[in-house]
Amino acid sequence: MSPRLRTILRVIHRWVGFPFGVFLFILCFTGSLACFGPEVQNWMQPEAALRPSSPLMSQTGLIEASHQLKAQLDKGQFAFLKLPSQRDPVFRLWHYDGHIFRGPTLAADTGLPLLTSDVVGGSFFTTLHSSLYLPTPWGQCLTALAGLTLMIALISGLWLQLRRFLPDLLLFRPHAARHRQWLDLHLLGGTLSIPILFIVGGSGLVLQSQELLHFINPPSHTARPANRHQAHSQTSPPISDALITKLAQNAQQQWGDEGDGFFMLAGKELALYAPDTLHFCLYRQAITASRPRLPPHNLCPTLHSVFLGVHNLRWAGFVTRCLYGLTGLLGCLIIGSGMRLFLQSEQNHLCHHHAITYSQHIQQRLYRAVSMATIFGLPLATLALFWSTRLPAPLPPILWEEGLFFTLWGVSLLYALISRHAARHLLMMLMLLGLGTSGLDLATRPFHTGRPALFLSVDALAACLGGACLLALLYHPHYAKKRAILRSKR
Amino acid sequence: MISLLILLPLWGFIGLCYLNSLPPHRRQNPCHLPRSTPWQRSCYIAGPFIALALSYRLAGLDGLFLWGFSAPLMGIVLGITLPYWPKKHVQKEALSDHYLQK
């Protein structure tokens, strides 16, 4: 490769990677959490984390829950009734509020509302992942652009590393200089996970582009579930106990005891939609009173459904989903190390100048602040969100939780802009929140719960994050210097 | 879960075989296998395909994704932990390689 081409590729990789790395870090982080939406929802609502019963719901529970659904529809609210599943063993009478799914939680055996507070739940991270909580179509535009830049960064990075791709595939030198360590880590993660990043990033890009195309050129048909968030007609369809029982029995015959389907209005009649976990290709199939059997199953009817299957992985087993989540966190590590390398090289570049201008100084500080707010601020805001769902809220719960998340994230950016010690302080806060999550969890939920493994896993993950921050603080230059002074005094 | 338990050591073995096949000056990460042989080389070339077929056989479509996700994770674990393994063997091995080359 000629030096000129190498320079061009480096410039593209750095200047495409850094600004959009911020968004890509958010997408990877929230994508990892979105893999475990029902589990996050259950952690935030410990009263709903019950042991899945067998069968998953009772007849009485289903009838009572359908009465609640009818009451909501009669009030003019477009709600749907999500059936219990192994991952979320309660009825959810949800409606979409423009950002997240929310609504009462009903017991699987009685169908009566459980005493749970309304929380943002797992769908908060799904929305943040798909549209960054921005209004349509700006969020979709931004995420599609981030996906495109991911492809550019991957191709330019691969091209740069092509000659040493195989010989240096597992190369990591922890005893080298700090910059080399980070570069090795970036290359180790990047080269090993490049096929997955291409597949996941590419499928996400295609899905967002399709959404944007639908926004620009909406499909002509109107009686499809696609427009379920639109206001429905004032007259709700007849929902009798017999109809509900018949649909539930039909569903059980056709897709077994899987659960996780949902009752929703489709056109002018009530439909029972098959669970997303049923097939690899995700597409909405429903049975109604007039169409009691699912249409014959094509392997994958559209390209869109294939990409949904590849990107969402709702059909996959628990272990695969865990590894998918870990891969998302690995993406965060690659992007975070890339940002660290960018900052270091910019700083080195400035060191060669005799005098640094004020604008250069501000620019450098801005890069640092943005990186810190992304790498430390986002996990901090996420942990604070988890805490806020368990602590008393001074405002309506969802407003308070969303407000706290975005305020804390914004404050971490501002703080990183004005303080030199922001990294240390943000790490300290992350450590405190991470290590304290287990205590908070035990103090704010009943000790005996139906799903102890769920709470243990979330607490352990938070504790790992806190532990990692503690280690980072111990090796922070500030404390390392202090330790060296103490040692020399002795 | 069983597929993952089979896949992880398999990827680890493939990684070690790959490292062993590198020339000594490239082999920054220590590796404790005996000196590279054609058998080891064919192992790391055929290994991924065998793992793919095995995981598909054991877990179907889920297995294919498990195969894809477990490879980078195991590679990173190997890459990060190997430099911290005791160096005694490595020096001996590097020396013997160097001697054999001469």
Side-chain angles (χ1 to χ4, degrees):
Chain A
M1 187 190 301
S2 68
R4 189 180 155 76
L5 178 62
R6 194 170 178 78
T7 312
I8 291 171
L9 284 174
R10 273 197 70 201
V11 168
I12 290 173
H13 189 73
R14 289 176 68 214
W15 286 101
V16 165
F18 182 75
F20 285 96
V22 174
F23 297 107
L24 290 172
F25 188 95
I26 299 167
L27 293 182
C28 285
F29 188 78
T30 51
S32 294
L33 286 169
C35 281
F36 301 99
E39 286 80 9
V40 168
Q41 183 87 34
N42 275 313
W43 192 92
M44 290 176 173
Q45 287 179 319
E47 301 85 358
L50 306 166
R51 186 193 294 273
S53 56
S54 180
L56 284 165
M57 59 184 167
S58 69
Q59 178 71 14
T60 329
L62 180 64
I63 299 294
E64 180 55 38
S66 70
H67 292 166
Q68 305 260 0
L69 172 67
K70 188 167 179 352
Q72 292 266 358
L73 291 174
D74 287 342
K75 270 192 249 167
Q77 191 163 49
F78 194 89
F80 66 96
L81 181 70
K82 192 169 164 288
L83 301 181
S85 66
Q86 290 289 341
R87 290 176 71 191
D88 189 21
V90 285
F91 287 106
R92 304 254 178 210
L93 189 52
W94 271 348
H95 66 274
Y96 186 65
D97 75 349
H99 286 299
I100 56 167
F101 291 111
R102 56 191 287 193
T105 308
L106 315 173
D109 50 353
T110 59
L112 295 171
L114 291 167
L115 287 173
T116 54
S117 56
D118 223 0
V119 291
V120 288
S123 60
F124 175 80
F125 297 106
T126 313
T127 310
L128 202 56
H129 180 75
S130 62
S131 66
L132 300 168
Y133 243 70
L134 294 172
T136 311
W138 302 111
Q140 279 81 1
C141 277
L142 214 52
T143 42
L145 200 60
L148 190 67
T149 55
L150 173 68
M151 294 295 120
I152 296 171
L154 284 178
I155 292 168
S156 57
L158 180 64
W159 203 341
L160 278 169
Q161 185 65 6
L162 203 57
R163 197 167 57 85
R164 286 176 299 172
F165 188 85
L166 270 182
D168 290 353
L169 193 64
L170 293 182
L171 183 65
F172 178 61
R173 287 160 286 188
H175 308 297
R178 188 60 72 92
H179 189 79
R180 172 57 62 186
Q181 285 177 19
W182 282 107
L183 185 60
D184 277 353
L185 195 66
H186 184 69
L187 292 174
L188 179 73
T191 48
L192 283 170
S193 53
I194 209 160
I196 293 178
L197 292 178
F198 260 118
I199 293 170
V200 176
S203 57
L205 172 63
V206 172
L207 288 173
Q208 284 296 25
S209 311
Q210 281 179 334
E211 281 226 358
L212 280 174
L213 282 178
H214 276 218
F215 183 78
I216 296 163
N217 187 15
S220 54
H221 43 74
T222 51
R224 292 283 301 271
N227 37 355
R228 61 185 181 275
H229 305 314
Q230 293 173 358
H232 72 110
S233 58
Q234 287 300 310
T235 52
S236 66
I239 301 176
S240 65
D241 295 355
L243 172 70
I244 292 284
T245 314
K246 195 178 154 199
L247 285 177
Q249 279 170 353
N250 268 345
Q252 201 179 14
Q253 280 167 9
Q254 290 178 67
W255 59 79
D257 284 331
E258 189 113 359
D260 213 18
F262 54 94
F263 283 102
M264 192 172 73
L265 281 185
K268 287 189 174 176
E269 58 182 345
L270 188 73
L272 176 52
Y273 283 80
D276 293 346
T277 50
L278 204 57
H279 301 297
F280 169 77
C281 293
L282 182 61
Y283 64 104
R284 299 269 185 243
Q285 293 174 296
I287 51 172
T288 59
S290 59
R291 207 157 27 97
R293 298 207 69 80
L294 286 179
H297 175 235
N298 300 330
L299 193 61
C300 280
T302 57
L303 200 61
H304 181 75
S305 64
V306 180
F307 283 115
L308 273 177
V310 170
H311 194 80
N312 291 358
L313 242 67
R314 294 207 182 142
W315 53 272
F318 177 70
V319 180
T320 312
R321 267 185 293 113
C322 283
L323 287 184
Y324 193 34
L326 268 179
T327 309
L329 295 181
L330 177 63
C332 291
L333 181 77
I334 297 165
I335 297 160
S337 57
M339 287 168 114
R340 170 80 171 70
L341 286 167
F342 176 88
L343 286 180
Q344 187 69 51
S345 63
E346 280 298 296
Q347 212 166 355
N348 292 348
H349 180 68
L350 281 187
C351 285
H352 294 303
H353 289 261
H354 291 294
I356 301 168
T357 60
Y358 184 69
S359 67
Q360 281 174 326
H361 179 73
I362 293 288
Q363 208 177 12
Q364 186 70 14
R365 181 160 271 198
L366 191 68
Y367 294 154
R368 269 183 78 81
V370 169
S371 308
M372 268 180 233
T374 312
I375 298 169
F376 302 134
L378 176 62
L380 182 68
T382 305
L383 275 180
L385 177 82
F386 273 70
W387 277 59
S388 68
T389 57
R390 291 291 190 89
L391 296 173
L395 293 170
I398 290 187
L399 194 67
W400 161 244
E401 288 153 16
E402 286 175 346
L404 184 75
F405 178 86
F406 289 111
T407 309
L408 202 61
W409 198 4
V411 166
S412 70
L413 176 67
L414 280 180
Y415 187 60
L417 270 174
I418 56 171
S419 169
R420 278 185 178 186
H421 309 296
R424 200 153 38 96
H425 296 159
L426 288 175
L427 268 173
M428 265 182 203
M429 282 182 70
L430 251 178
M431 181 193 75
L432 288 176
L433 285 187
L435 294 178
T437 303
S438 311
L440 171 88
D441 180 34
L442 285 171
T444 53
R445 72 163 160 88
F447 186 73
H448 292 289
T449 163
R451 305 180 73 188
L454 184 146
F455 292 100
L456 199 68
S457 322
V458 177
D459 296 353
L461 267 178
C464 282
L465 182 65
C469 293
L470 180 64
L471 273 179
L473 274 173
L474 286 177
Y475 287 100
H476 194 276
H478 178 79
Y479 294 107
K481 211 183 281 176
K482 274 193 175 175
R483 273 205 305 276
I485 292 169
L486 273 175
R487 229 176 277 146
S488 64
K489 273 183 186 170
R490 272 184 217 154
Chain B
M1 192 69 193
I2 294 166
S3 320
L4 186 68
L5 289 178
I6 295 171
L7 276 171
L8 286 179
L10 202 57
W11 277 124
F13 178 65
I14 292 165
L16 287 177
C17 284
Y18 152 75
L19 276 177
N20 229 25
S21 72
L22 294 177
H25 70 277
R26 276 274 177 206
R27 216 158 70 192
Q28 306 268 359
N29 288 340
C31 170
H32 297 269
L33 285 176
R35 214 164 54 79
S36 182
T37 56
W39 182 83
Q40 273 189 35
R41 213 163 297 152
S42 50
C43 256
Y44 94 77
I45 292 169
F49 298 102
I50 295 169
L52 181 68
L54 197 71
S55 50
Y56 182 69
R57 186 94 188 106
L58 283 172
L61 201 54
D62 224 1
L64 294 186
F65 278 80
L66 270 181
W67 177 83
F69 291 138
S70 55
L73 289 177
M74 194 62 207
I76 285 166
V77 169
L78 264 186
I80 291 177
T81 54
L82 275 178
Y84 293 102
W85 282 16
K87 294 272 169 84
K88 210 174 164 186
H89 286 29
V90 186
Q91 282 164 358
K92 250 188 214 170
E93 211 176 291
L95 275 175
S96 67
D97 278 349
H98 183 69
Y99 176 74
L100 284 169
Q101 274 178 358
K102 277 195 171 179

